[in-house]
Every structure is written in structure tokens, then in C-alpha cells.
Amino acid sequence: MSTENLPQSPGQPPRKPRVAVVFGGRSSEHTISVVTAGAVLKAIDRTKYDVLPIGITQDGRWALTADEPERMAITDRQLPSVDQLAESAEGGVVLPVDPANREVVYSEPGSVPKALGEVDVVFPVLHGPYGEDGTLQGLLELSGVPYVGAGVLASAVGQDKEYMKRVFTSFGLAVGPYVVIRPREWQQDEPAARKKIVDFAGEHGWPLFVKPARAGSSIGITKVDDLSGLDEAIAEAQRHDPKILVEAAVRGREIECGVLEFEDGPRASVPAEIPPPDAHAYYDFEAKYIDSTPGMVPAPLTPEQTAEVQKLAVDAFEATSCEGLVRADFFLTENGFLINEINTLPGFTPISMYPQMWQASGITYPELVDRLIQAALRRSTGLR
């Protein structure tokens, strides 16, 4: 699709491409998605694009929301939600599942449905399940609407930390020690599943990190220093996902690197380093979003280390068949780099590490948003 102004109809002036920013969602990362959407809405060039904000409530309703980015910020440590922004408590937005018709419709009980116009591209800023995991991407594929970011397969692999690591190792990327407890294991033989973790600790030592296998933003993660804290950590992880991942602590520096799709292929940003947060046991949710522990951009690495981590980040992008953008997270140990995970829809507020790394690489936040929209408009729909 051309990224130039689009024809409205014969005899009428061309219209600007219309971007639907979809945010919120049913995952535990709902509020962070709202914050991200506010930053994206503020950055989109309104002289170049028309914008339609669509929020998904925590119970799954697609709501028409106010285009008011300032209401989407964290204020006095209070996190925003779609329910606070929705123009109606009952109205809903419907995307057509018909590639020949991109007309978005809004309806309220007892009222005639209202056409909101066609959408040319969706900018999804949902994190976690039902947004970052391939489910929304599948809906958009059915609808024939181009969208920013990874396709169905890459999104699903990027969301599931077990299969992400399996893909990495199959492509020769080094990962840290881990063990997985699936729901059926826990349900059928809880003592055996617990022993599996204890044996893992016996081999790799304490502390361990117990986390949901399919969640993000450090939600549901517990650092476990000994056996006494294990059951509580498992219960906390299972509140967010019945499948849990247990990782050995890796002694090393936390290094991140952004990957962005250009017309000639993916390129890596300058890397960043996440220093150990002073007031937190590890880089948890509050350190990321509330207290905003600052990262070091660019990371104090040698030129050789910088080149190596940039190559590894692009390799991870390619291994998982990603598109658009990825933030790749590494540990730099005495034996070299280990990849921890990738994020196909990383934290994307102006203070998030992904935009900061590209800012240091010469691409401003508004330019970054524009590049992602343009890449999505260029990309054809279909199997990805």
C-alpha cells in the first residue's frame, strides 16, 4: 500500500492514512499499555495521519476512547485504565473481519450503529496475553488490516518464554539455565513438580527466579532465596499464567539492544545497560515504571562487545521471524553474552529503554513511531 495520501472517492480530495492505536487489553499489563498508548498518540504526526484511539477494557470490551494523551500518563503513582478513558460504559467498537471492507463500526445498546470510517493500519500497543501473543495479530490478519510489529508466529514465540528459549538454542544463541513446570505437571503430581524445581536449585544454586511463562513487565516474578519462599513464588506466578518458568540467577551485567526494521532489513541500536536498582531486589515492575530506574545509554562496552551484542540482537530478531521492532535483553557474563528474552512490543514510553536506545542512535521518538507506521503500511497482509 502506498504511504501517500489515500484517495477518498472520485471527486474528493485525498485523505490521510488512518491509524488505529489499540491499547489496554485483558492482561496484567493493561495499565502500562495505556501509558504507552498515550505516548504514541502524542507522537503521531497529525498533519500526516488521522488517528483513531481504541481501548480494550480488562473484561475485553473494545471501547471508543478520548484522544487525550495527557490522561494516559502515570500521575502520583496512579496507573490509568481504559475504563477511565472510554466515551461510554457500554458502547463497543467492531473491526470488520473482511479484507474488502475496513470500515470500523461503533454501537451502543438501543442506538443505530455508527460508521467510524476505514482504518489503513493498526498500531497495537498491547502487552502480554490477548495482545502481544499473536491473538490480536491473527484477528488483524483475518481482517486484512496492516499492523505494526511481529506477525502471529513471532508474537506467539516472543510471548512464551519456554518456546522462545527453545528457538534461540536451535539457532545457536546461548541462554541461561531454566526449567519449566506445565499446568498438567502441577495438577497431576504437585510433589514431583516441586521436587523438579528443588533438584534444579540443587544443581544451579539459589536464588532462583520464578516467573509466569507468558507475561511481561516483570509482573508475577519472584526472586526466591531459599526453599521457604518457593511455594509462595509459585502461587504468585500461577496467578498470571498456569505455566511457570524457573530460571537460575545469572551473574552478569544486564544489557539491552533495540532492533528496528528498515527498508533494507533489520538494524540494531546502540545498546544500553540496566544498572542494579538501589531500592529493588531486581529490575521489577516498580523499578521499570514507577521509580524509573535510569539505564545507561549507550552501555559502557568495548567496541567489540557492542558489535557482538548488536549482531546477536539481529540474530534473535531473525531467528524468531520478527518484523517491525524488538528489544533483545542479554546478560554479559564472564563467559560472554547470554540472551534472556526478546520483547516484540517492548515498553514504548519516551522513558522506556527501546526509544531511548534509538534516540541515542539518532532516531527521535516521533521519527520512530513514523518509521513503524510506514513499515506496516509497506508490508502486505497475509501469512507472515
Side-chain angles (χ1 to χ4, degrees):
M1 176 184 295
S2 171
T3 61
E4 300 298 321
N5 285 357
L6 304 173
Q8 180 80 16
S9 62
Q12 292 189 357
R15 65 178 180 85
K16 294 175 287 187
R18 198 156 194 231
V19 182
V21 178
V22 180
F23 60 96
R26 295 163 56 190
S27 82
S28 55
E29 298 177 80
H30 175 97
T31 55
I32 294 306
S33 173
V34 177
V35 174
T36 300
V40 171
L41 286 168
K42 189 175 181 180
I44 292 177
D45 184 351
R46 304 307 176 95
T47 67
K48 192 172 182 178
Y49 305 103
D50 285 328
V51 177
L52 178 66
I54 300 174
I56 302 176
T57 64
Q58 289 176 306
D59 61 4
R61 178 172 64 92
W62 289 50
L64 188 63
T65 66
D67 185 8
E68 299 176 3
E70 64 278 1
R71 293 176 57 196
M72 302 181 185
I74 298 173
T75 305
D76 297 327
R77 302 177 72 90
Q78 298 300 308
L79 297 165
S81 71
V82 170
D83 282 317
Q84 298 167 353
L85 301 163
E87 295 194 351
S88 166
E90 296 182 318
V93 175
V94 178
L95 283 180
V97 187
D98 179 1
N101 173 24
R102 293 179 180 174
E103 188 87 24
V104 175
V105 175
Y106 174 75
S107 63
E108 292 190 48
S111 300
V112 176
K114 176 185 177 182
L116 299 179
E118 293 188 357
V119 166
D120 299 297
V121 62
V122 168
F123 199 130
V125 290
L126 297 104
H127 305 298
Y130 312 111
E132 192 178 356
D133 61 353
T135 50
L136 175 66
Q137 289 74 14
L139 172 64
L140 295 173
E141 295 283 356
L142 287 170
S143 301
V145 181
Y147 55 93
V148 169
V152 176
L153 175 63
S155 297
V157 170
Q159 183 64 27
D160 191 308
K161 294 177 175 62
E162 176 195 1
Y163 287 99
M164 182 198 308
K165 291 176 185 292
R166 289 181 180 272
V167 169
F168 288 157
T169 55
S170 72
F171 278 80
L173 296 166
V175 304
Y178 70 96
V179 66
V180 176
I181 303 296
R182 294 182 175 82
R184 191 173 293 112
E185 290 181 81
W186 190 257
Q187 294 162 4
Q188 293 183 348
D189 195 339
E190 184 178 313
R194 187 179 291 103
K195 183 178 183 301
K196 183 176 175 181
I197 299 174
V198 172
D199 290 346
F200 178 78
E203 180 180 357
H204 298 286
W206 301 91
L208 302 177
F209 287 88
V210 179
K211 57 180 67 176
R214 295 162 292 196
S217 294
S218 297
I219 291 173
I221 298 179
T222 305
K223 181 182 179 183
V224 183
D225 293 314
D226 54 44
L227 187 60
S228 65
L230 184 59
D231 283 357
E232 185 177 347
I234 291 170
E236 172 60 17
Q238 289 176 332
R239 284 200 316 113
H240 302 277
D241 187 352
K243 182 167 77 167
I244 65 172
L245 189 82
V246 181
E247 295 177 333
V250 175
R251 290 174 174 79
R253 297 161 59 188
E254 291 192 48
I255 306 295
E256 298 183 349
C257 191
V259 180
L260 179 64
E261 178 185 351
F262 288 74
E263 290 189 44
D264 60 351
R267 301 181 201 170
S269 70
V270 299
E273 180 167 1
I274 308 299
D278 294 334
H280 301 266
Y282 60 97
Y283 195 43
D284 61 9
F285 180 90
E286 289 206 353
K288 287 179 179 178
Y289 299 109
I290 306 299
D291 296 329
S292 300
T293 301
M296 293 182 281
V297 187
L301 300 171
T302 67
E304 293 76 18
Q305 289 171 330
T306 295
E308 181 181 1
V309 77
Q310 288 175 323
K311 178 183 182 303
L312 290 171
V314 172
D315 286 348
F317 184 97
E318 298 283 34
T320 46
S321 299
C322 283
E323 294 168 289
L325 72 164
V326 149
R327 193 194 73 229
D329 301 345
F330 298 86
F331 291 108
L332 176 55
T333 72
E334 60 183 12
N335 296 317
F337 286 102
L338 297 178
I339 186 165
N340 184 37
E341 64 181 32
I342 59 167
N343 284 268
T344 55
L345 285 172
F348 207 81
T349 68
I351 64 169
S352 299
M353 294 311 303
Y354 184 85
Q356 285 195 53
M357 289 186 286
W358 281 108
Q359 175 78 40
S361 303
I363 298 177
T364 67
Y365 189 88
E367 290 171 338
L368 186 58
V369 169
D370 184 65
R371 282 180 179 272
L372 289 168
I373 293 171
Q374 292 292 317
L377 284 167
R378 287 195 303 269
R379 193 180 301 125
S380 61
T381 57
L383 290 177
R384 299 167 64 180

